[in-house]
Amino acid sequence: MENKDYTVEILEIIRSNTSPGIMRSRLEDYHANDLAEVFPQLKISERRKICRILDLDMLSDIFEHIDEQAAAEYLDEMDIKKAAAILSAMETDAVVDVLQMMPKEKKNLLIELMDDDARKDMAIIASFDEEEIGSRMTTNCIMIRENLTVKQAMSSLVDQAAKNDNISTLFMVTEDNTFYGAMDLKDLIIARRESPLEDLIATSYPYVYGNELIDDCIERLKDYSEDSIPVLDNDNKLLGVITSQSMVDLVDDEMGEDYAKFAGLTAEEDLKEPLKESIKKRLPWLLVLLGLGMIVSSVVGLFEEVVSQLTIIMCFQSLILDMAGNVGTQSLAVTIRVLMDESLTGKQKIELVFKEMKIAFSNGAILGILSFVLIGLYIGLFKGKTFVFAYAVSGCIGASLLLAMVISGAVGTLIPLFFKKIHVDPAVASGPLITTVNDLVAVISYYGLSWIFLINMMHLVG
Amino acid sequence: MENKDYTVEILEIIRSNTSPGIMRSRLEDYHANDLAEVFPQLKISERRKICRILDLDMLSDIFEHIDEQAAAEYLDEMDIKKAAAILSAMETDAVVDVLQMMPKEKKNLLIELMDDDARKDMAIIASFDEEEIGSRMTTNCIMIRENLTVKQAMSSLVDQAAKNDNISTLFMVTEDNTFYGAMDLKDLIIARRESPLEDLIATSYPYVYGNELIDDCIERLKDYSEDSIPVLDNDNKLLGVITSQSMVDLVDDEMGEDYAKFAGLTAEEDLKEPLKESIKKRLPWLLVLLGLGMIVSSVVGLFEEVVSQLTIIMCFQSLILDMAGNVGTQSLAVTIRVLMDESLTGKQKIELVFKEMKIAFSNGAILGILSFVLIGLYIGLFKGKTFVFAYAVSGCIGASLLLAMVISGAVGTLIPLFFKKIHVDPAVASGPLITTVNDLVAVISYYGLSWIFLINMMHLVG
């Protein structure tokens, strides 16, 4: 990283003997995130000093950049009134996170000491479920009555700007707070004082309802690529906004979750996670997979007789199972991503299944022929068998590879489509089921083909 | 989705017979993204009509929301001067994408007709490689000289606001355009006219250099959660900004890529992708995996003798290989995510390896015991063997399951750490190698243990 690390500079300022006034103005030159990164390196007394020196605006910004566990700890170190004041000035969603980390009594005391507005905003956000988009909004936005003049709107903005950060889009409401439309601040700034406000307002501006599920609306919100999207309650009253910074977090979370589920974890993990938590996140999948694996094993057991007559074929079982699994995984990954687009028609779904099968067939044909040639050569040269024997076996391998791959491609697409249909998250449920089905398909086609072709028809042994 | 779909409304307006003036003011009430979604449903003549009716500002917004392939097509339908004017008003990064979709001559003609500023901005962005953060910036930001008064700054802002969308943070530069600091628009709005500008400027504001790799700086930029982060050239001159909307796209792309790589695709795919492209994206991995699978098969071949004496053990090969693979995948997924944090110390890496092994050991012990009990019961009851025989075999399975899982956990962590060290993307390279190593470990520990314990020591056959 070429950028310089501000940590050393900031530490130097804090540990210097300059007056509070100078120190404040020097610290205010830094970004809240850089100041936040210094906090864990400070002694309690130094943190207290900073909290006395900086103003509430800056402190609340800093605390928004500290992770909730640590923030709760630092707030605990200071005077409870100061802590309540900092919380009152923070973004509401961050406050909710921090308070959850505190013991119940302390939490209630702090909520009591917070200012009325902050408490009210918190209650609104807390009323939404974690999975609902409303839980991720901020009430920190500019709301302006729709029937003002440009000049009145400007002064209403100046009044609210001190307490609200998200000012680049202004939201217009009617008398009873019903959402009316939105306006770019830039248009207001360049508008002539006497022109009517109405011309600047987009009345069909996009919005979401607070109780929509994040999963359902995130793709749509991403498309608008706006600074902030208004969030309404069920009576169409404006509650707050989803900012594009929250969108970054939302997209990050959503994708991270998909990624984790895909890898067979029940949720994302990080380095600091305690051992017990990690075990808990992974064990459920492993248990399911073990159970399914046992089913596969008992099916393999049905072919014990075949293998005992022709042991060489068991050497290539892992190859065919692995390849079927790989193809299934590819199809699954593509299907899950395609399914994120809610508006898929039935015809498109059928097309997808056929396309996946066509891809699997093409790749399967290439790999099947390759296996036929190479494995035949290998058995003939290194296993001391005749080339007729060798190519009979490798022919079976090539053919079952192709068959297993085509079926895996279809299964890898159909299973997530099915889970989506019955409203089960396809990223979670599909993986193990696909592995099992593909294993079964591969085992049955490989040993079945070997049994019919090699043993019953060609009467090979060895 | 509860929100109403504006498409029908918009189509109705366009297909009505109202005058251009009314139509424009009605269409301007909609979000550019919603208008963009209507475009593919229009006839050429209707698209031409809209492009005559709406102003450049709105049209350029709409074209930013149309995907580049379609946008190039629509621009081709209209008068070339109009097309050049729309391009001149669009965000530079979007223009670059659209122009790439056009035939060379048309492209050069359009660039010639675009206005000077747009052409200059395009040249700057085009100078960066796709992997560099500079390629994702926009030059669309407000730059203000650092030595102005509040009043002068305000009027400089009003001058620039008409042509620039990202106004919530203002960037201060010195005479020669060197980056000096940043200021929130909201602070400027509420500042007293006579107060010095200097107090409002954060001079240690975060920034990136245009030639930093996206991979290297994205985590840091996310942490700042700012509307826009300034991008500098190597002489510290301000070139443009990364907006939080671009951040949403960047995070989406990065995570999508990781996800795709993890699933064994060389890149993300979508529904419209032609068959040939899809095959090309998937075949390389499958070929690698086939080659590695053949290696595993030849190692399994070494144990042919063991299996021919005791065929029952081959039934459980797939179980042990699959479980080792699953544990390896879990460790790999966690390690890749942890590695995104660039600042990992050597000690943390060692801790991670040990932690993964401990998790694998705990889970392996639980699953191993479970397999020992259940599989023993299964063999005893359904395979017509004595319980001594059954539990000897299932003991081997349980023990090799534990061993294979612990080693897989370690391998799943060490291999990505190693690839990271030698600067190879761990998400791409680790998967197949881990599968192969884990297969080998599982095969050798399972058949090896069976050979020593069941055949050499207990002299079992069957």
Side-chain angles (χ1 to χ4, degrees):
Chain A
M1 222 161 304
E2 296 175 64
N3 282 32
K4 70 173 159 186
D5 187 2
Y6 290 125
T7 314
V8 181
E9 277 179 35
I10 295 172
L11 279 175
E12 225 165 71
I13 296 173
I14 294 171
R15 286 168 182 165
S16 71
N17 279 320
T18 41
S19 70
I22 299 288
M23 196 176 288
R24 175 196 297 194
S25 88
R26 289 182 65 189
L27 288 177
E28 277 178 349
D29 276 341
Y30 291 90
H31 191 281
N33 184 52
D34 292 319
L35 290 169
E37 275 182 11
V38 172
F39 262 60
Q41 298 178 43
L42 297 176
K43 281 177 263 169
I44 297 189
S45 60
E46 288 169 333
R47 277 198 290 268
R48 284 208 184 120
K49 179 173 157 193
I50 292 194
C51 291
R52 271 196 307 271
I53 284 177
L54 292 174
D55 63 16
L56 277 179
D57 218 29
M58 193 76 191
L59 283 173
S60 60
D61 273 0
I62 294 175
F63 272 87
E64 283 166 18
H65 283 96
I66 297 178
D67 82 274
E68 51 260 31
Q69 182 79 59
E73 219 172 274
Y74 302 152
L75 286 172
D76 202 38
E77 291 165 9
M78 61 179 92
D79 178 53
I80 190 151
K81 275 189 194 152
K82 180 91 181 185
I86 292 176
L87 285 171
S88 299
M90 279 168 69
E91 289 279 353
T92 328
D93 50 346
V95 177
V96 174
D97 290 344
V98 173
L99 285 177
Q100 265 166 2
M101 294 291 147
M102 297 197 163
K104 203 166 169 132
E105 291 147 52
K106 178 103 188 179
K107 179 174 149 181
N108 292 338
L109 198 58
L110 275 169
I111 294 178
E112 234 167 81
L113 288 169
M114 281 171 66
D115 74 31
D116 285 349
D117 280 350
R119 210 160 45 219
K120 222 179 66 193
D121 289 348
M122 248 173 56
I124 296 175
I125 291 180
S127 75
F128 291 103
D129 190 87
E130 238 197 314
E131 303 289 305
E132 291 174 340
I133 190 83
S135 68
R136 299 308 199 90
M137 73 178 179
T138 171
T139 49
N140 183 338
C141 66
I142 309 280
M143 298 188 194
I144 290 180
R145 282 295 308 282
E146 95 289 2
N147 57 357
L148 305 181
T149 64
V150 167
K151 201 177 159 195
Q152 286 171 319
M154 200 68 205
S155 80
S156 172
L157 164 69
V158 173
D159 287 347
Q160 293 178 57
K163 285 189 74 180
N164 293 289
D165 294 321
N166 306 303
I167 62 168
S168 53
T169 310
L170 314 177
F171 297 98
M172 322 310 284
V173 290
T174 62
E175 202 173 354
D176 65 349
N177 252 1
T178 303
F179 178 59
Y180 181 83
M183 179 167 65
D184 280 346
L185 172 58
K186 100 173 194 190
D187 291 334
L188 184 66
I189 287 180
I190 59 180
R192 280 196 226 99
R193 296 262 136 174
E194 60 275 14
S195 62
L197 200 58
E198 190 62 36
D199 287 355
L200 306 176
I201 305 177
T203 51
S204 298
Y205 199 82
Y207 56 85
V208 275
Y209 288 106
N211 59 4
E212 286 186 59
L213 295 180
I214 294 174
D215 277 353
D216 291 344
C217 60
I218 185 152
E219 288 294 314
R220 184 160 45 97
L221 297 186
K222 236 168 33 186
D223 282 347
Y224 286 109
S225 62
E226 273 303 327
D227 286 321
S228 41
I229 302 265
V231 179
L232 314 188
D233 69 9
N234 287 333
D235 299 325
N236 295 306
K237 297 200 195 316
L238 182 60
L239 297 175
V241 296
I242 299 289
T243 63
S244 52
Q245 289 98 306
S246 315
M247 282 295 296
V248 174
D249 292 342
L250 278 176
V251 169
D252 199 16
D253 286 358
E254 284 290 300
M255 301 281 294
E257 236 176 75
D258 272 4
Y259 175 88
K261 286 172 192 165
F262 200 82
L265 308 164
T266 50
E268 268 201 287
E269 276 182 42
D270 63 27
L271 197 58
K272 281 172 280 179
E273 189 116 353
L275 189 65
K276 225 176 102 186
E277 282 301 306
S278 297
I279 293 174
K280 251 202 272 176
K281 281 188 183 170
R282 302 190 198 183
L283 195 56
W285 272 137
L286 293 177
L287 283 172
V288 171
L289 290 163
L290 182 71
L292 295 171
M294 285 185 182
I295 296 175
V296 175
S297 286
S298 62
V299 173
V300 176
L302 300 176
F303 293 99
E304 212 188 308
E305 192 58 28
V306 180
V307 174
S308 71
Q309 289 180 41
L310 199 63
T311 32
I312 194 165
I313 59 173
M314 61 74 67
C315 303
F316 302 96
Q317 178 196 312
S318 66
L319 183 76
I320 292 168
L321 262 64
D322 278 357
M323 291 313 287
N326 294 329
V327 170
T329 304
Q330 290 183 335
S331 293
L332 173 62
V334 171
T335 307
I336 287 177
R337 300 293 286 156
V338 169
L339 279 179
M340 281 194 178
D341 182 2
E342 298 283 326
S343 56
L344 225 56
T345 63
K347 192 168 154 256
Q348 282 178 307
K349 287 179 193 164
I350 295 170
E351 276 173 14
L352 180 67
V353 177
F354 279 105
K355 191 187 156 193
E356 287 300 316
M357 287 178 72
K358 269 189 273 178
I359 298 172
F361 180 83
S362 314
N363 285 337
I366 296 171
L367 298 181
I369 292 170
L370 218 64
S371 308
F372 170 68
V373 174
L374 294 178
I375 293 177
L377 212 63
Y378 168 78
I379 297 176
L381 293 177
F382 299 106
K383 290 278 170 179
K385 309 278 179 183
T386 63
F387 275 96
V388 176
F389 181 96
Y391 277 100
V393 172
S394 78
C396 253
I397 292 170
S400 28
L401 200 57
L402 172 60
L403 186 65
M405 279 174 70
V406 173
I407 298 179
S408 295
V411 168
T413 320
L414 286 169
I415 289 183
L417 283 173
F418 168 74
F419 279 123
K420 183 80 182 183
K421 190 94 191 168
I422 61 167
H423 301 287
V424 173
D425 184 347
V428 177
S430 305
L433 191 57
I434 288 178
T435 310
T436 312
V437 173
N438 286 350
D439 275 359
L440 289 177
V441 166
V443 162
I444 294 171
S445 58
Y446 179 48
Y447 286 130
L449 215 63
S450 301
W451 183 60
I452 296 170
F453 184 67
L454 300 178
I455 296 180
N456 283 358
M457 289 170 63
M458 292 189 66
H459 306 291
L460 297 182
V461 280
Chain B
M1 222 162 300
E2 296 176 65
N3 282 31
K4 71 172 156 187
D5 187 2
Y6 292 123
T7 315
V8 181
E9 278 180 34
I10 294 171
L11 279 175
E12 227 166 70
I13 296 173
I14 294 172
R15 286 168 183 166
S16 72
N17 279 319
T18 42
S19 69
I22 300 288
M23 197 177 287
R24 173 195 298 194
S25 89
R26 289 182 64 190
L27 287 178
E28 278 179 347
D29 277 341
Y30 291 90
H31 191 280
N33 184 51
D34 292 320
L35 291 169
E37 276 181 11
V38 172
F39 262 59
Q41 298 180 44
L42 298 176
K43 283 176 261 167
I44 297 189
S45 60
E46 289 169 331
R47 276 197 290 268
R48 283 208 186 120
K49 181 172 154 192
I50 293 193
C51 292
R52 271 194 308 271
I53 283 176
L54 292 174
D55 63 15
L56 277 179
D57 217 28
M58 194 76 190
L59 283 173
S60 59
D61 273 0
I62 295 174
F63 272 88
E64 283 166 18
H65 282 95
I66 298 177
D67 82 274
E68 50 260 32
Q69 182 78 58
E73 221 172 89
Y74 302 152
L75 287 173
D76 201 37
E77 293 165 7
M78 60 179 92
D79 178 54
I80 192 154
K81 275 189 194 151
K82 181 87 180 190
I86 293 176
L87 285 171
S88 300
M90 280 169 68
E91 289 278 353
T92 329
D93 50 347
V95 177
V96 174
D97 290 344
V98 173
L99 286 176
Q100 266 167 1
M101 294 291 147
M102 298 199 161
K104 204 168 171 134
E105 290 145 54
K106 178 103 188 178
K107 178 174 152 182
N108 291 338
L109 197 58
L110 275 168
I111 293 178
E112 234 166 80
L113 287 168
M114 282 172 66
D115 74 29
D116 285 351
D117 281 349
R119 211 161 43 221
K120 221 178 69 194
D121 289 347
M122 249 174 56
I124 295 176
I125 291 179
S127 74
F128 291 105
D129 191 85
E130 242 199 309
E131 303 289 304
E132 291 174 341
I133 191 82
S135 68
R136 299 307 199 89
M137 73 178 179
T138 171
T139 49
N140 184 338
C141 66
I142 310 279
M143 299 189 192
I144 290 180
R145 283 294 310 282
E146 95 290 2
N147 58 358
L148 304 181
T149 64
V150 166
K151 202 176 161 196
Q152 286 172 318
M154 200 68 204
S155 79
S156 172
L157 164 69
V158 173
D159 288 346
Q160 292 179 59
K163 287 190 72 179
N164 292 290
D165 294 320
N166 306 304
I167 63 169
S168 52
T169 310
L170 313 177
F171 297 97
M172 322 310 284
V173 289
T174 60
E175 201 172 355
D176 64 350
N177 252 359
T178 303
F179 178 59
Y180 181 83
M183 179 166 66
D184 279 346
L185 172 58
K186 100 175 195 190
D187 291 335
L188 184 66
I189 287 180
I190 59 180
R192 280 197 225 98
R193 298 261 136 176
E194 59 275 13
S195 63
L197 200 57
E198 190 62 36
D199 287 353
L200 306 176
I201 305 176
T203 50
S204 298
Y205 200 81
Y207 55 85
V208 273
Y209 288 106
N211 59 3
E212 285 186 57
L213 295 181
I214 295 174
D215 277 352
D216 291 344
C217 60
I218 185 151
E219 287 295 314
R220 183 160 47 98
L221 296 186
K222 235 166 37 185
D223 282 347
Y224 285 110
S225 60
E226 274 301 328
D227 286 320
S228 39
I229 302 265
V231 179
L232 314 189
D233 70 8
N234 288 333
D235 298 324
N236 295 306
K237 297 200 195 316
L238 182 59
L239 295 176
V241 296
I242 298 290
T243 63
S244 52
Q245 289 98 305
S246 314
M247 281 296 294
V248 174
D249 293 342
L250 278 176
V251 169
D252 200 16
D253 286 359
E254 285 289 301
M255 301 281 292
E257 236 177 76
D258 271 5
Y259 175 88
K261 285 172 190 164
F262 200 82
L265 307 165
T266 51
E268 267 199 287
E269 275 181 43
D270 62 28
L271 197 57
K272 282 171 281 179
E273 189 116 354
L275 190 67
K276 227 176 100 187
E277 282 301 305
S278 298
I279 293 175
K280 250 203 273 177
K281 280 186 183 169
R282 302 190 198 181
L283 195 55
W285 271 137
L286 294 177
L287 283 172
V288 172
L289 290 163
L290 182 71
L292 295 171
M294 286 186 182
I295 296 175
V296 175
S297 286
S298 62
V299 173
V300 176
L302 301 177
F303 294 99
E304 213 187 308
E305 191 58 29
V306 180
V307 174
S308 70
Q309 288 180 44
L310 198 64
T311 32
I312 194 165
I313 58 172
M314 61 74 66
C315 304
F316 302 96
Q317 178 195 311
S318 65
L319 183 76
I320 292 168
L321 262 64
D322 278 357
M323 291 313 288
N326 293 328
V327 170
T329 304
Q330 289 182 336
S331 294
L332 172 62
V334 171
T335 307
I336 287 175
R337 299 294 286 158
V338 169
L339 279 179
M340 281 194 178
D341 182 3
E342 297 283 326
S343 55
L344 225 58
T345 63
K347 189 167 158 257
Q348 281 177 308
K349 288 179 192 164
I350 295 171
E351 275 172 14
L352 180 67
V353 177
F354 278 106
K355 190 186 157 197
E356 287 300 316
M357 287 179 74
K358 268 189 272 178
I359 297 172
F361 180 83
S362 315
N363 285 337
I366 296 170
L367 299 180
I369 292 170
L370 217 64
S371 308
F372 170 67
V373 175
L374 294 177
I375 293 177
L377 211 62
Y378 168 79
I379 297 176
L381 293 177
F382 298 105
K383 290 278 171 180
K385 309 278 181 185
T386 64
F387 275 96
V388 176
F389 179 96
Y391 277 99
V393 172
S394 78
C396 253
I397 293 170
S400 28
L401 201 56
L402 173 60
L403 186 64
M405 280 174 70
V406 173
I407 298 178
S408 294
V411 168
T413 319
L414 286 169
I415 289 182
L417 283 173
F418 168 72
F419 279 122
K420 184 81 182 181
K421 191 96 192 165
I422 61 167
H423 301 288
V424 173
D425 184 348
V428 177
S430 307
L433 192 56
I434 288 178
T435 310
T436 312
V437 173
N438 286 350
D439 275 359
L440 289 177
V441 167
V443 162
I444 293 172
S445 58
Y446 179 48
Y447 287 130
L449 216 63
S450 301
W451 182 61
I452 295 171
F453 183 66
L454 300 178
I455 295 180
N456 283 359
M457 290 170 62
M458 293 189 64
H459 306 290
L460 298 182
V461 279

